[in-house]
Amino acid sequence: MKKFQGRVIAPGTVTASALVSHGGLNTLASFQGALQFGDKKATCGDQNNPDLYNKEMAGKALCLPMTIGSTTGGLVLYCACAMGRQPACMLFSKPIDSLAAAGSILASVWLDGIQMPVVDSLGDEFLNYVQEGMTITIEDGGVVCVE
């Protein structure tokens, strides 16, 4: 097991299986099927992300460098949470962008009973270490354990 220290964006503790992207996550393209067409597993629809395309994101520890794409990113994350189609958590190797941060924070504040912990600034070593299927545990204070 290896531990990484990051910065808490949206609080919470969780254990989930890792889903890893080495490219940026286009939130709208990735979650469109879940939000528009009722895909409860949130199967990634972004054909430009070979790490995630056609993989189920709901309930997974989504490990990525950053989000990319349109200004709808924050709303897309908020809506995914509101519909119960969110990842178990989002773990960023780089600092989170303001749009993804806003959507994550609003979901944690406005949605009762919905949790999607978000930790950023975990570093390149984190993203190089974690592999799909590994067990991720987020502890208090932004500590991320990878097994």
Side-chain angles (χ1 to χ4, degrees):
M1 175 177 62
K2 191 159 183 159
K3 291 187 177 190
F4 298 88
Q5 178 66 55
R7 175 178 64 158
V8 176
I9 303 300
T13 59
V14 70
T15 298
S17 178
L19 182 60
V20 181
S21 175
H22 293 282
L25 175 77
N26 182 320
T27 52
L28 181 57
S30 296
F31 284 96
Q32 185 174 6
L35 303 183
Q36 192 173 10
F37 304 114
D39 174 15
K40 293 181 181 178
K41 296 177 181 181
T43 305
C44 180
D46 184 3
Q47 297 177 3
N48 294 317
N49 189 326
D51 293 332
L52 298 180
Y53 183 60
N54 276 334
K55 293 184 180 174
E56 296 172 7
M57 298 180 295
K60 301 290 184 176
L62 192 53
C63 306
L64 61 153
M66 68 193 120
T67 57
I68 58 174
S70 73
T71 57
T72 62
L75 180 61
V76 167
L77 291 176
Y78 173 81
C79 289
C81 290
M83 296 172 81
R85 296 176 178 145
Q86 75 277 13
C89 60
M90 293 182 75
L91 304 170
F92 292 83
S93 62
K94 299 183 182 304
I96 194 170
D97 66 279
S98 60
L99 298 170
S104 304
I105 292 167
L106 290 175
S108 73
V109 172
W110 287 350
L111 299 173
D112 291 330
I114 299 293
Q115 175 178 280
M116 184 181 72
V118 178
V119 178
D120 80 342
S121 300
L122 288 162
D124 291 336
E125 182 184 356
F126 164 75
L127 204 56
N128 291 330
Y129 181 80
V130 69
Q131 295 179 24
E132 187 170 333
M134 289 179 140
T135 300
I136 304 282
T137 300
I138 298 179
E139 299 176 347
D140 288 327
V143 175
V144 176
C145 303
V146 182
E147 300 181 75

